[in-house]
Amino acid sequence: MKDEIYIRVNIFDRFYPIKVKSKDEESFKEISKSINKKIIDLMKRFDIEDKQDVLAMVCLEIFFEQNKNLKKISFISSQIDEISENIEKNL
């Protein structure tokens, strides 16, 4: 695709080349910064030095947050559906 570019993201002092849509470049850079921030935070909080352990914990935290957010979205979506049904019934 024409709108794809190669960028390098830095995660835990290693650079990874990745092909992304140009419109997503900034998002990928922000995400890599967020990952690095989580890594530093976990290393300080739990006094962890092993890179693999830190990365595994970061993955757990990120997916936990994602799962929590998906549950919230699902709940909100069901509430919207319920409200829409009530509006339609009362019209």
Side-chain angles (χ1 to χ4, degrees), residues 42-89:
L42 285 172
M43 289 178 79
K44 288 179 182 175
R45 236 186 327 154
F46 296 108
D47 195 29
I48 302 171
E49 292 185 23
D50 184 78
K51 288 183 176 185
Q52 187 171 347
D53 290 343
V54 173
L55 290 171
M57 290 182 71
V58 167
C59 286
L60 274 171
E61 274 198 5
I62 290 171
F63 280 99
F64 174 78
E65 291 170 14
Q66 180 185 20
N67 188 42
K68 190 169 63 172
N69 289 335
L70 287 173
K71 286 180 181 180
K72 284 180 185 178
I73 290 169
S74 178
F75 174 75
I76 291 169
S77 179
S78 68
Q79 294 289 50
I80 290 171
D81 290 344
E82 189 177 314
I83 291 169
S84 294
E85 287 174 16
N86 286 334
I87 290 172
E88 286 182 21
K89 286 179 185 176

